[in-house]
Amino acid sequence: MAVKTHSKVLNNIIRHYLKGHGFSAYAIENITDRIIETISGYRSIPLKQRAFALRHGFFAEKIILYGLNEQNYKDYLSDLDYFWLHPLNGGFSHWIDDKLTLRYLLAPFSNYLPGYYYQLSTSGVAKLQDCPDEFSADERGILKLLRLKSEIAGKPLIGTAGLGFFKLSCHENLLYVNDTRVSEQELINLFSQWRLSETGYIITEYLHPHPDLGRIWSKTANSLRITVLRGSDNQAKIAYAFTRFGNSTSGVVENSVAGGIFNFIDLKTGEYNQGKIWRNDQIIDCAVHPESGVPVCGVVPYWESIKQKLIDISDFIPQLHYLGFDVVVVENGFKIIEINSQPSHEFFQWFLPAYQSDVIGPFFREMLERKRLQVENGKKARSTLNNYRNAIYSHRIFKIIRAMTSTRKTKEAFCELLKASELFDEQWYIEKYHEVIDPGMEPVLHYLSAGAERGYDPGPEFSSKRYLEAYADVQKEGMNPLVHYVMYGRYEGRAIFKHE
């Protein structure tokens, strides 16, 4: 009987465990590969350290990023805890997950939003609130607007980290996309691609940074990330904030993951003076912008006004508990370009570990307790917050998964899995099928290699043949029946049948 490749089996093991322990589909999609990478990648980090990190809910790169060890790991919000909480804003996340809904939601605060001009989707081109009446609802209208404004922005309706952002410009009647010269037809073709993209696109005002920020780097908007939390006391509080500056590596965006420079902002004064760049899973100093030569330090303009307005907006939508505002400070004020419902938990902890903060620590402890109760009350998991990591990353499971990262050891991994199951009775199997087992061959390996194919049972409590007859999908997959039951079937509530 065919055995699934090790990578697919490993992926499925992790996904089933995560699903069974209360992780959302979004979380599972985002962390499964990172768990596998922690187990089988990062060979420069000793396996013992990677296992330590994973047992405590961290991915391997945090060993480097945080200097993670036995003495400090409790100071940090772990990766798995953070993703376990998704969606942090519950069913209200969709209010801010797409940029167009956000525009309608914050209509009373429209002065603090960029101009929204067009939406491009499979339904066509639609004009938005701030598009002048004289422009048509088609590609020609967009081109006419571009020639009038000189610069506009195109961005996915739903997206993060600056992915899919385009700067469109027109200078001396020449057209540019991300500062690269294009023809009018090429730009129209780009609009067609946007219409057919997964979420569609919106076209908005392009924002230039305030001169105080633009002196450091003028080719990006240099947005701020300011995160606001609302705990059980129902008080909105700014938890942390940092600046972001672009460079030639980050292109037309300034996001840290794209190679931009970031600084932690003093929440009281608005000062920033610790320029950093994230590179190869490490935070390195960048006190002076490498291209402009300007020191990456200063004071955020309008800081007090920004803080107060974000609190006002948070109070306007109190259903949302965790808001990652992206704010562009412009010459005469500031604009909110988006609000993230699940902003990164990683960069800020380099400056300020979550559980060392009087604002962030209590918030996440409270949210984790809520999640634990939700999972328990909903009977969606088989363990509580205190043991869910152990259920996923116990020594036995980690040993199995480790073995499965080597193709040559896939069968040995399954042997380990079945030996740990009460349904494989080695002595019973030997007595029942001793005539066909080669001398010196492990009974469990015989069952995996040939026994199940011949309809042999691993013990008196499990019938291989009847399990496959009952579940055609397992038979179609070509998976060993007991392996399937141990990894998946028992958690899916599938019945088993005794030996006849």
Side-chain angles (χ1 to χ4, degrees), residues 358-376:
D358 294 336
V359 174
I360 304 170
F363 172 83
F364 278 107
R365 287 191 181 97
E366 178 186 321
M367 295 298 288
L368 287 165
E369 178 62 14
R370 285 188 196 176
K371 177 72 175 187
R372 183 186 67 80
L373 293 173
Q374 175 193 352
V375 169
E376 285 185 347

Side-chain angles (χ1 to χ4, degrees), residues 77 240 242 262 264 322 343-354 360 364:
L77 172 67
Y240 62 87
F242 52 85
F262 62 99
F264 206 55
Y322 195 66
S344 171
H345 63 293
E346 299 171 317
F347 289 121
F348 82 83
Q349 290 201 94
W350 190 89
F351 292 99
L352 178 65
I360 304 170
F364 278 107

